[in-house]
Amino acid sequence: MKVPFVSFLPLEQELNAELRGAFERVLKNSWYIDGKEDKAFEEAFAKFCESEYCIGVGNGLDALMLALRAFEIGEGDEVIVPSNTYIATALAVTYVGATPVFVEPDINTYNIDPALIEEKITGKTKAIMPVHLYGQPCDMDPIMEIANKYNLKVIEDCAQAHGATYKGKVIGSFGDAAGFSFYPGKNLGALGDAGATVTNNKEVADKIRALGNYGSDYKYHHIYKGVNSRLDELQAAFLSAKLPLMDKVNDNRRETAKKYLDGIKNDKIILPYVPETTDPVWHIFAVRTEKRDELAAYLESRGIGTNKHYPIAMHLQDCYKDLGLKQGDLPIAEEISATQLSLPMYYKMTDEQIQYVIDAINEF
């Protein structure tokens, strides 16, 4: 049996008519940027995120970067980020001229450890950027308490966690703003690059929209030195077709995760830990093992696709040599990078596929 790491086909087949209709609608309207499709999606996604405003942008990296710029975070400032995440989180900080300050994760949840944040705060710290990694919500209460204590902004990186909840409240609605990615592989994915920032602050929302539109508040009038980062009409229409199925998609992933959690019985494998306060959406089902590379090769030989998120910790990437960090400085991030393996996880995996993966791992 072949089990790919990810497949978009089940969802795209289910929504074939809606996706084709979205394309035809945009083509018929002959309007491709900043039109009614974008506005309709923004309104619907803001409601989904329990937020007042949503601004469609070009991708998830821009969603974070523009939020930072809107809060005037830049040269000479520092932003707290987790040491274990995709590099886009840190790059957003770098792009505005600020410095990312890495804080180690909780080894159980892989998310930033709130108990380690306060010691990294300096007079230059302006914001905390928690990442809801793999679709698992961060422990937001202590993070918000620290932010309030030190008057810091909180910009949530929700790129992998559309619809996840913490203590019954949807992620993205805790901080001052939140960035989302709609990269095709996300639980809510476009058919190309796309992203959005959500916030409850109208002034911030207006500024983000202007910054992403060449700094323009109205045509040919530029109040900021902005960039070109806008959600185009076609991707907005595709996202609007997918958004109504978001709860169904997430629930299906939760069912698959439960089968993995209940079925995998191998003492070489460390399964994900889920705090009682969270309801993840399982963008990624991440296990850990000291025999990561052997397990990946073994599963590949059985026709099972896997991935490694992320095999080189950020502070050890060539592009961040300027931070002066070396091997051993962030041991928890390094441990996760060396042992993490992502199992197949996508909408409508069959029971046979799931059991095949479980059996293969138990036989490893």
Side-chain angles (χ1 to χ4, degrees), residues 16-272:
N16 184 272
E18 289 85 351
L19 293 170
R20 290 180 179 277
F23 172 79
E24 294 293 341
R25 194 168 65 244
V26 172
L27 191 64
K28 181 179 179 180
N29 289 338
S30 192
W31 192 279
Y32 304 107
I33 299 289
D34 193 26
K36 59 185 180 181
E37 296 290 348
D38 184 37
K39 290 177 174 60
F41 173 72
E42 287 179 346
E43 182 178 339
F45 192 67
K47 184 177 180 180
F48 178 81
C49 295
E50 300 174 7
S51 296
E52 290 292 323
Y53 306 101
C54 170
I55 309 93
V57 299
N59 53 68
L61 171 54
D62 286 356
L64 298 173
M65 180 270 290
L66 290 170
L68 289 165
R69 284 199 61 184
F71 290 115
E72 299 184 356
I73 295 169
E75 196 74 33
D77 296 333
E78 295 177 349
V79 178
I80 300 289
V81 300
S83 59
N84 177 54
T85 183
Y86 184 54
I87 200 167
T89 311
L91 287 176
V93 178
T94 301
Y95 284 176
V96 301
T99 300
V101 175
F102 297 128
V103 171
E104 288 274 68
D106 181 323
I107 190 64
N108 297 307
T109 66
Y110 310 141
N111 281 331
I112 192 168
D113 187 341
L116 302 179
I117 292 176
E118 204 161 0
E119 65 189 46
K120 292 295 184 76
I121 294 173
T122 72
K124 297 179 180 180
T125 308
K126 294 296 186 292
I128 303 171
M129 191 175 285
V131 181
H132 305 288
L133 197 66
Y134 307 150
Q136 169 76 266
C138 292
D139 190 2
M140 289 306 298
D141 280 355
I143 292 172
M144 296 307 300
E145 288 174 9
I146 293 168
N148 290 333
K149 178 179 177 180
Y150 291 93
N151 193 30
L152 304 176
K153 299 299 181 185
V154 174
I155 301 169
E156 297 174 70
D157 183 339
C158 306
Q160 301 183 1
H162 317 64
T165 61
Y166 171 81
K167 295 187 176 180
K169 185 178 179 181
V170 68
I171 56 92
S173 63
F174 289 88
D176 298 279
F180 287 83
S181 168
F182 304 125
Y183 181 77
K186 306 301 186 187
N187 292 27
L188 178 61
L191 303 190
D193 269 325
T197 308
V198 301
T199 181
N200 288 320
N201 186 316
K202 185 179 187 304
E203 182 180 348
V204 169
D206 290 344
K207 190 170 183 180
I208 290 171
R209 190 176 300 282
L211 284 166
N213 187 32
Y214 298 97
S216 174
D217 54 349
Y218 60 88
K219 198 170 181 68
Y220 300 134
H221 183 258
H222 304 272
I223 53 178
Y224 310 112
K225 294 174 182 175
V227 299
N228 176 18
S229 183
R230 300 171 295 194
L231 176 62
D232 68 64
E233 287 288 278
L234 189 58
Q235 297 304 337
F238 289 146
L239 289 166
S240 289
K242 289 185 170 186
L243 184 57
L245 264 71
M246 198 68 255
D247 290 339
K248 180 181 178 183
V249 167
N250 286 341
D251 285 344
N252 181 262
R253 287 173 173 265
R254 290 180 178 114
E255 291 170 6
T256 299
K258 187 177 187 307
K259 290 171 184 174
Y260 277 157
L261 290 169
D262 292 343
I264 295 174
K265 309 289 185 184
N266 185 325
D267 58 11
K268 301 183 190 71
I269 308 298
I270 300 171
L271 293 171

Side-chain angles (χ1 to χ4, degrees), residues 312-329:
I312 303 175
M314 284 187 299
H315 67 288
L316 300 178
Q317 296 282 359
D318 287 347
C319 64
Y320 278 121
K321 285 182 178 178
D322 59 310
L323 295 179
L325 296 169
K326 61 185 183 302
Q327 186 86 33
D329 285 345

